[in-house]
Amino acid sequence: MGCRVYLTSDAASKKSDKDQVDLRGYKVRLADNRFLGVVTEVIENPGQWLFNVNTTKGEEILIPLHEDLIISIDKRKKIIRMDLPEGLTEINL
C-alpha cells in the first residue's frame, strides 16, 4: 500500500488473452432467478470494472463488477447470478 509500481511497455504487451475472461454475451440473473439482461460490454474504469447490461426492456444499465455482488458464474451456460442491492438497477435509468 502506498508503493509505486512501474510496468514497462514490454511487460504490459505480454498480457495474454487468458488474463481476462470475456463475459460479453453472458446472461445476468438476479438472486431470485429473475432474468435481468445480457452483458454487452465490460468497461474498465480506473478503480472499478463495470458490466454494461442490455435489459429485457431494451435499456442499458451499468453494474459494478465486484466479487461481493456475484453469486456464481456458470461458464458452460454463460450465466452470471448476482445479488444486487435494492435500487441499483433503477439508479442507471
Side-chain angles (χ1 to χ4, degrees):
M1 300 290 283
C3 298
R4 292 184 179 194
V5 177
Y6 296 96
L7 179 66
T8 64
S9 59
D10 289 341
S13 65
K14 291 180 183 176
K15 189 175 188 179
S16 74
D17 292 338
K18 293 180 182 179
D19 289 343
Q20 295 180 14
V21 176
D22 187 7
L23 298 174
R24 288 178 294 172
Y26 275 61
K27 297 172 185 159
V28 178
R29 291 200 169 271
L30 301 177
D32 61 2
N33 212 31
R34 283 184 296 139
F35 177 69
L36 180 63
V38 177
V39 176
T40 58
E41 183 179 11
V42 179
I43 303 167
E44 182 181 0
N45 280 339
Q48 181 66 62
W49 289 62
L50 301 167
F51 284 139
N52 187 5
V53 177
N54 190 358
T55 68
T56 55
K57 297 177 183 177
E59 302 162 334
E60 289 188 352
I61 59 172
L62 298 175
I63 299 175
L65 183 101
H66 193 276
E67 64 185 45
D68 291 343
L69 301 178
I70 297 173
I71 298 170
S72 65
I73 298 177
D74 186 334
K75 292 179 184 177
R76 188 174 55 80
K77 294 181 181 179
K78 289 192 159 193
I79 295 174
I80 302 170
R81 290 196 61 232
M82 300 188 81
D83 186 16
L84 301 179
E86 188 175 328
L88 180 71
T89 58
E90 290 82 22
I91 213 167
N92 289 281
L93 302 177

